[in-house]
Coordinates of all heavy atoms in Angstrom, one line a residue:
M3 N 95.0 -111.2 108.9 CA 96.2 -111.0 108.1 C 95.9 -109.8 107.1 O 95.0 -109.9 106.4 CB 96.6 -112.2 107.6 CG 97.8 -112.2 106.7 SD 99.5 -112.2 107.3 CE 99.4 -113.6 108.5
K4 N 96.9 -108.9 106.9 CA 96.8 -107.9 105.8 C 97.6 -108.4 104.6 O 98.6 -109.1 104.8 CB 97.4 -106.6 106.3 CG 96.6 -105.8 107.3 CD 97.2 -104.4 107.6 CE 96.3 -103.7 108.6 NZ 96.9 -102.4 108.8
Y5 N 97.0 -108.1 103.5 CA 97.7 -108.4 102.2 C 97.7 -107.2 101.3 O 96.9 -106.3 101.3 CB 96.8 -109.5 101.5 CG 96.8 -110.9 102.2 CD1 95.9 -111.1 103.2 CD2 97.8 -111.8 101.8 CE1 95.9 -112.4 103.7 CE2 97.8 -113.0 102.5 CZ 96.8 -113.3 103.4 OH 96.8 -114.5 104.0
T6 N 98.8 -107.1 100.6 CA 99.0 -106.2 99.5 C 98.6 -106.9 98.2 O 99.3 -107.9 97.9 CB 100.4 -105.6 99.5 OG1 100.7 -105.0 100.7 CG2 100.6 -104.6 98.3
I7 N 97.8 -106.3 97.5 CA 97.3 -107.0 96.2 C 98.0 -106.1 95.0 O 97.9 -104.9 95.1 CB 95.8 -106.9 96.0 CG1 95.1 -107.6 97.2 CG2 95.3 -107.5 94.7 CD1 95.5 -109.1 97.4
I8 N 98.6 -106.9 94.2 CA 99.3 -106.3 93.1 C 98.6 -106.7 91.8 O 98.3 -108.0 91.6 CB 100.8 -106.7 92.9 CG1 101.5 -106.2 94.1 CG2 101.4 -106.0 91.7 CD1 102.9 -106.7 94.3
I9 N 98.2 -105.7 90.9 CA 97.4 -106.0 89.7 C 98.4 -105.5 88.6 O 98.7 -104.3 88.5 CB 96.0 -105.4 89.6 CG1 95.2 -105.9 90.8 CG2 95.4 -105.7 88.3 CD1 93.9 -105.2 91.0
E10 N 98.7 -106.4 87.6 CA 99.6 -106.1 86.6 C 98.8 -106.3 85.3 O 98.3 -107.4 85.0 CB 100.9 -106.8 86.6 CG 101.8 -106.6 85.5 CD 103.0 -107.5 85.5 OE1 103.3 -108.0 86.6 OE2 103.7 -107.6 84.5
E11 N 98.7 -105.2 84.5 CA 98.0 -105.3 83.2 C 99.0 -105.2 82.0 O 100.0 -104.4 82.2 CB 96.9 -104.2 83.1 CG 95.8 -104.3 84.0 CD 94.8 -103.3 83.8 OE1 95.1 -102.2 83.4 OE2 93.6 -103.5 84.0
T12 N 98.7 -106.0 81.0 CA 99.5 -105.8 79.7 C 98.5 -105.3 78.7 O 97.5 -105.9 78.4 CB 100.1 -107.1 79.3 OG1 100.9 -107.6 80.4 CG2 101.0 -107.0 78.0
V13 N 98.8 -104.1 78.1 CA 97.9 -103.5 77.1 C 98.8 -103.4 75.8 O 99.9 -103.3 75.8 CB 97.4 -102.3 77.5 CG1 96.4 -102.3 78.7 CG2 98.4 -101.2 77.8
S14 N 98.1 -103.2 74.7 CA 98.7 -103.1 73.4 C 98.0 -102.1 72.6 O 96.8 -101.9 72.6 CB 98.7 -104.5 72.7 OG 99.1 -104.3 71.4
E15 N 98.8 -101.4 71.8 CA 98.2 -100.4 70.8 C 99.1 -100.4 69.6 O 100.4 -100.5 69.8 CB 98.1 -99.0 71.5 CG 97.4 -98.0 70.7 CD 95.8 -98.1 70.9 OE1 95.4 -98.6 71.9 OE2 95.1 -97.6 70.0
E16 N 98.7 -100.1 68.4 CA 99.5 -100.0 67.3 C 99.6 -98.5 66.9 O 98.6 -97.8 66.8 CB 98.9 -100.8 66.0 CG 99.1 -102.3 66.3 CD 98.6 -103.1 64.9 OE1 98.5 -102.4 64.0 OE2 98.5 -104.3 65.2
F17 N 100.8 -98.1 66.5 CA 101.1 -96.7 66.0 C 101.9 -96.8 64.8 O 102.7 -97.8 64.5 CB 101.9 -95.9 67.0 CG 101.1 -95.8 68.4 CD1 101.3 -96.7 69.4 CD2 100.2 -94.7 68.5 CE1 100.5 -96.5 70.6 CE2 99.5 -94.5 69.8 CZ 99.7 -95.4 70.7
T18 N 101.9 -95.8 63.9 CA 102.7 -95.9 62.6 C 103.6 -94.6 62.7 O 103.1 -93.5 63.1 CB 101.8 -95.8 61.5 OG1 100.9 -97.0 61.5 CG2 102.6 -95.9 60.2
L19 N 104.8 -94.7 62.3 CA 105.7 -93.6 62.0 C 106.7 -93.9 60.9 O 106.8 -95.0 60.5 CB 106.4 -93.2 63.3 CG 107.3 -94.2 64.0 CD1 108.8 -94.3 63.2 CD2 107.7 -93.7 65.4
E20 N 107.3 -92.8 60.4 CA 108.3 -92.9 59.3 C 109.6 -92.9 60.0 O 109.9 -92.0 60.9 CB 108.1 -91.7 58.3 CG 106.9 -91.8 57.5 CD 106.9 -92.8 56.4 OE1 108.0 -93.1 55.8 OE2 105.9 -93.3 56.1
A21 N 110.6 -93.7 59.6 CA 111.9 -93.7 60.1 C 112.8 -94.3 59.0 O 112.5 -95.1 58.1 CB 112.0 -94.5 61.4
E22 N 114.2 -94.0 59.2 CA 115.2 -94.5 58.3 C 115.5 -96.1 58.6 O 116.0 -96.7 57.7 CB 116.5 -93.8 58.4 CG 116.3 -92.3 57.9 CD 116.1 -92.2 56.4 OE1 116.7 -93.1 55.7 OE2 115.3 -91.3 56.0
G23 N 115.3 -96.5 59.8 CA 115.6 -97.9 60.1 C 114.9 -98.3 61.4 O 114.2 -97.4 62.1
R24 N 115.0 -99.5 61.8 CA 114.3 -100.0 63.0 C 114.7 -99.4 64.2 O 113.9 -99.0 65.2 CB 114.6 -101.6 63.1 CG 113.8 -102.2 64.2 CD 114.1 -103.7 64.3 NE 114.0 -104.4 63.0 CZ 112.9 -105.1 62.7 NH1 111.8 -105.2 63.5 NH2 112.8 -105.6 61.5
R25 N 116.0 -99.2 64.5 CA 116.5 -98.5 65.7 C 116.0 -97.0 65.8 O 115.5 -96.7 66.9 CB 118.1 -98.5 65.6 CG 118.6 -97.9 66.9 CD 120.2 -97.9 66.8 NE 120.7 -97.3 68.0 CZ 121.6 -97.9 68.8 NH1 122.0 -99.0 68.5 NH2 122.1 -97.2 69.9
E26 N 116.0 -96.4 64.7 CA 115.5 -94.9 64.7 C 113.9 -95.1 65.1 O 113.5 -94.2 65.8 CB 115.8 -94.3 63.4 CG 115.2 -92.9 63.4 CD 115.3 -92.1 62.0 OE1 116.5 -92.4 61.4 OE2 114.5 -91.6 61.5
A27 N 113.2 -96.0 64.5 CA 111.8 -96.1 64.7 C 111.5 -96.4 66.2 O 110.6 -95.8 66.9 CB 111.2 -97.2 63.9
L28 N 112.3 -97.3 66.8 CA 112.1 -97.6 68.3 C 112.5 -96.4 69.1 O 111.7 -96.0 70.1 CB 112.9 -98.7 68.7 CG 112.5 -100.1 68.1 CD1 113.4 -101.2 68.3 CD2 111.1 -100.5 68.7
E29 N 113.6 -95.6 68.8 CA 114.0 -94.4 69.6 C 112.9 -93.4 69.5 O 112.5 -92.8 70.5 CB 115.3 -93.9 69.1 CG 116.5 -94.8 69.5 CD 117.8 -94.4 68.9 OE1 117.8 -93.4 68.0 OE2 118.8 -95.1 69.1
E30 N 112.3 -93.2 68.4 CA 111.3 -92.1 68.2 C 110.0 -92.6 68.9 O 109.3 -91.8 69.5 CB 111.0 -92.0 66.6 CG 109.9 -91.0 66.3 CD 110.3 -89.5 66.7 OE1 111.5 -89.3 67.2 OE2 109.4 -88.6 66.6
A31 N 109.7 -93.9 68.8 CA 108.5 -94.4 69.5 C 108.6 -94.2 71.0 O 107.7 -93.7 71.7 CB 108.3 -95.9 69.2
E32 N 109.8 -94.5 71.6 CA 110.1 -94.3 73.0 C 109.9 -92.8 73.4 O 109.3 -92.5 74.4 CB 111.4 -94.9 73.5 CG 111.5 -96.4 73.6 CD 112.7 -96.8 74.2 OE1 113.2 -96.2 75.0 OE2 113.2 -97.8 73.6
R33 N 110.5 -91.9 72.6 CA 110.4 -90.5 72.8 C 108.9 -89.9 72.8 O 108.5 -89.4 73.8 CB 111.2 -89.6 71.7 CG 111.2 -88.2 72.1 CD 111.9 -87.4 70.9 NE 111.1 -87.5 69.6 CZ 110.2 -86.7 69.4 NH1 109.6 -85.9 70.4 NH2 109.5 -86.8 68.3
L34 N 108.2 -90.4 71.8 CA 106.8 -90.1 71.8 C 106.0 -90.6 72.9 O 105.2 -89.9 73.4 CB 106.2 -90.4 70.4 CG 106.7 -89.8 69.2 CD1 106.3 -90.5 67.9 CD2 106.3 -88.3 69.1
Y35 N 106.2 -91.8 73.3 CA 105.7 -92.4 74.5 C 105.9 -91.6 75.7 O 105.0 -91.3 76.5 CB 106.0 -93.8 74.6 CG 105.3 -94.5 75.8 CD1 104.0 -95.0 75.7 CD2 106.0 -94.8 76.9 CE1 103.5 -95.6 76.9 CE2 105.5 -95.3 78.1 CZ 104.3 -95.8 78.0 OH 103.7 -96.3 79.0
R36 N 107.2 -91.4 76.0 CA 107.6 -90.7 77.1 C 107.1 -89.2 77.2 O 106.8 -88.7 78.4 CB 109.2 -90.7 77.3 CG 109.7 -92.1 77.6 CD 111.2 -92.1 77.7 NE 111.8 -93.4 77.5 CZ 111.9 -94.3 78.5 NH1 111.4 -93.9 79.7 NH2 112.5 -95.4 78.3
E37 N 106.9 -88.6 76.2 CA 106.4 -87.2 76.1 C 104.9 -87.2 76.2 O 104.2 -86.1 76.2 CB 106.9 -86.5 74.8 CG 108.3 -86.3 74.8 CD 108.8 -85.6 73.5 OE1 108.0 -85.3 72.6 OE2 110.0 -85.3 73.4
G38 N 104.2 -88.4 76.2 CA 102.8 -88.4 76.4 C 102.1 -88.2 75.1 O 100.8 -88.0 75.1
K39 N 102.8 -88.3 74.0 CA 102.1 -88.0 72.7 C 101.4 -89.2 72.1 O 100.6 -89.2 71.3 CB 103.1 -87.5 71.6 CG 103.6 -86.1 72.1 CD 104.6 -85.4 71.1 CE 105.0 -84.1 71.7 NZ 106.1 -83.5 70.9
W40 N 102.0 -90.5 72.6 CA 101.4 -91.7 72.3 C 100.9 -92.3 73.6 O 101.7 -92.6 74.5 CB 102.4 -92.7 71.6 CG 102.6 -92.5 70.2 CD1 102.1 -91.5 69.4 CD2 103.4 -93.2 69.3 NE1 102.5 -91.6 68.1 CE2 103.4 -92.7 68.0 CE3 104.3 -94.3 69.6 CZ2 104.0 -93.2 66.9 CZ3 105.0 -94.8 68.4 CH2 104.9 -94.2 67.2
V41 N 99.6 -92.5 73.7 CA 99.0 -93.1 74.9 C 98.2 -94.4 74.6 O 97.4 -94.4 73.5 CB 98.0 -92.0 75.5 CG1 97.3 -92.5 76.8 CG2 98.8 -90.7 75.8
L42 N 98.4 -95.4 75.4 CA 97.7 -96.6 75.1 C 96.3 -96.5 75.7 O 96.1 -96.1 76.8 CB 98.5 -97.8 75.8 CG 99.6 -98.3 74.9 CD1 100.8 -97.4 74.7 CD2 100.1 -99.6 75.4
E43 N 95.4 -97.0 75.0 CA 93.9 -97.0 75.5 C 93.8 -98.3 76.3 O 94.2 -99.4 76.0 CB 93.0 -97.0 74.3 CG 93.0 -95.9 73.4 CD 92.7 -94.5 74.1 OE1 91.9 -94.5 75.0 OE2 93.3 -93.5 73.8
P44 N 93.0 -98.2 77.4 CA 92.7 -99.2 78.3 C 91.9 -100.4 77.7 O 92.0 -101.5 78.3 CB 92.1 -98.6 79.5 CG 91.5 -97.3 79.0 CD 92.4 -97.0 77.9
G45 N 91.3 -100.2 76.6 CA 90.5 -101.2 76.0 C 91.1 -102.3 75.3 O 90.5 -103.3 75.1
N46 N 92.4 -102.2 75.1 CA 93.2 -103.2 74.4 C 94.0 -104.1 75.3 O 95.2 -104.4 75.2 CB 94.1 -102.5 73.4 CG 93.4 -101.8 72.3 OD1 92.5 -102.2 71.8 ND2 93.9 -100.6 72.0
L47 N 93.3 -104.7 76.3 CA 94.0 -105.5 77.4 C 94.3 -106.8 76.8 O 93.5 -107.6 76.2 CB 92.9 -105.7 78.6 CG 93.4 -106.4 79.7 CD1 94.6 -105.7 80.4 CD2 92.4 -106.6 80.8
L48 N 95.6 -107.2 77.0 CA 96.0 -108.5 76.5 C 96.2 -109.5 77.6 O 95.9 -110.7 77.4 CB 97.5 -108.4 75.9 CG 97.5 -107.6 74.7 CD1 99.1 -107.4 74.3 CD2 96.7 -108.0 73.6
D49 N 96.5 -109.1 78.8 CA 96.7 -110.0 79.9 C 96.5 -109.2 81.2 O 96.8 -108.1 81.3 CB 98.2 -110.6 79.8 CG 98.3 -111.6 80.9 OD1 97.4 -112.4 81.1 OD2 99.5 -111.8 81.3
V50 N 96.1 -109.9 82.3 CA 96.1 -109.4 83.6 C 96.5 -110.4 84.6 O 96.2 -111.6 84.5 CB 94.6 -108.8 84.0 CG1 93.6 -110.0 84.1 CG2 94.7 -108.1 85.3
K51 N 97.4 -110.0 85.6 CA 97.8 -110.9 86.6 C 97.6 -110.3 88.0 O 97.7 -109.1 88.2 CB 99.3 -111.1 86.5 CG 99.8 -111.7 85.2 CD 101.2 -111.8 85.0 CE 101.6 -112.4 83.6 NZ 103.1 -112.4 83.4
F52 N 97.2 -111.2 88.9 CA 96.9 -110.8 90.3 C 98.0 -111.4 91.2 O 98.2 -112.6 91.0 CB 95.5 -111.2 90.7 CG 94.5 -110.4 89.9 CD1 94.0 -110.8 88.7 CD2 93.9 -109.2 90.6 CE1 93.0 -110.2 88.0 CE2 92.9 -108.6 89.8 CZ 92.5 -109.1 88.6
Q53 N 98.4 -110.7 92.1 CA 99.3 -111.4 93.2 C 99.0 -110.8 94.5 O 98.6 -109.6 94.7 CB 100.8 -110.9 92.9 CG 101.9 -111.4 93.7 CD 103.3 -111.1 93.2 OE1 103.5 -110.2 92.3 NE2 104.3 -111.6 93.9
A54 N 99.1 -111.6 95.5 CA 98.7 -111.4 96.9 C 99.9 -111.6 97.7 O 100.4 -112.7 97.8 CB 97.5 -112.1 97.4
L55 N 100.4 -110.6 98.5 CA 101.5 -110.5 99.3 C 101.1 -110.5 100.7 O 100.4 -109.5 101.1 CB 102.6 -109.5 99.0 CG 103.2 -109.5 97.5 CD1 104.0 -108.3 97.3 CD2 103.8 -110.8 97.2
E56 N 101.6 -111.2 101.6 CA 101.3 -111.1 103.0 C 102.1 -110.0 103.6 O 103.2 -109.6 103.0 CB 101.7 -112.5 103.7 CG 100.8 -113.6 103.5 CD 101.2 -114.8 104.4 OE1 101.9 -114.7 105.3 OE2 100.7 -115.9 104.0
E57 N 101.6 -109.4 104.6 CA 102.2 -108.2 105.1 C 103.7 -108.5 105.5 O 104.1 -109.5 106.1 CB 101.5 -107.8 106.5 CG 102.0 -106.5 107.0 CD 101.1 -106.1 108.2 OE1 100.6 -107.1 109.0 OE2 101.0 -105.0 108.5
G58 N 104.6 -107.6 105.0 CA 106.1 -107.8 105.1 C 106.7 -108.6 104.0 O 107.9 -108.7 103.9
E59 N 105.9 -109.3 103.2 CA 106.6 -110.0 102.2 C 106.9 -109.2 101.0 O 106.2 -108.1 100.6 CB 105.5 -111.2 101.6 CG 105.9 -112.1 100.6 CD 104.9 -113.2 100.1 OE1 103.7 -113.0 100.7 OE2 105.2 -114.0 99.4
K60 N 108.1 -109.5 100.3 CA 108.5 -108.7 99.2 C 108.3 -109.3 97.8 O 108.3 -110.5 97.8 CB 110.1 -108.3 99.3 CG 110.3 -107.6 100.6 CD 111.8 -107.2 100.6 CE 112.0 -106.5 102.0 NZ 112.5 -105.2 101.8
T61 N 108.1 -108.4 96.8 CA 107.9 -108.9 95.4 C 109.3 -109.4 95.0 O 110.4 -109.0 95.4 CB 107.4 -107.8 94.4 OG1 108.3 -106.9 94.5 CG2 106.0 -107.4 95.0
N62 N 109.2 -110.4 93.9 CA 110.5 -110.8 93.3 C 110.9 -109.9 92.2 O 110.2 -109.4 91.4 CB 110.2 -112.2 92.8 CG 110.0 -113.3 93.9 OD1 110.5 -113.0 95.0 ND2 109.2 -114.2 93.7

């Protein structure tokens, strides 16, 4: 039987920025992340999950 293995990692990193409020801070953080200016290092692993799907089985 063939299986597809899914590995999901949760990583964390702290960054600091100046903003007028929480919403502005989150918007700026998302922009910096999407532009690749903020990159999470793989060494800060919080959690890892493994899932095995039989051939033809779909994820939820």
Side-chain angles (χ1 to χ4, degrees):
M3 174 85 46
K4 286 187 180 181
Y5 291 89
T6 299
I7 305 299
I8 299 169
I9 303 171
E10 180 181 339
E11 294 182 332
T12 303
V13 294
S14 172
E15 187 86 23
E16 290 186 13
F17 299 90
T18 303
L19 60 78
E20 294 284 330
E22 295 293 322
R24 185 181 308 262
R25 182 182 179 125
E26 181 183 315
L28 288 171
E29 289 173 356
E30 180 68 3
E32 283 188 39
R33 184 185 68 76
L34 292 168
Y35 177 81
R36 292 179 197 277
E37 290 178 359
K39 295 179 180 170
W40 280 2
V41 179
L42 280 66
E43 298 296 326
N46 298 320
L47 183 65
L48 297 179
D49 188 33
V50 64
K51 296 177 185 174
F52 294 85
Q53 184 177 5
L55 302 177
E56 290 185 13
E57 191 172 26
E59 188 178 0
K60 297 187 183 238
T61 61
N62 294 333

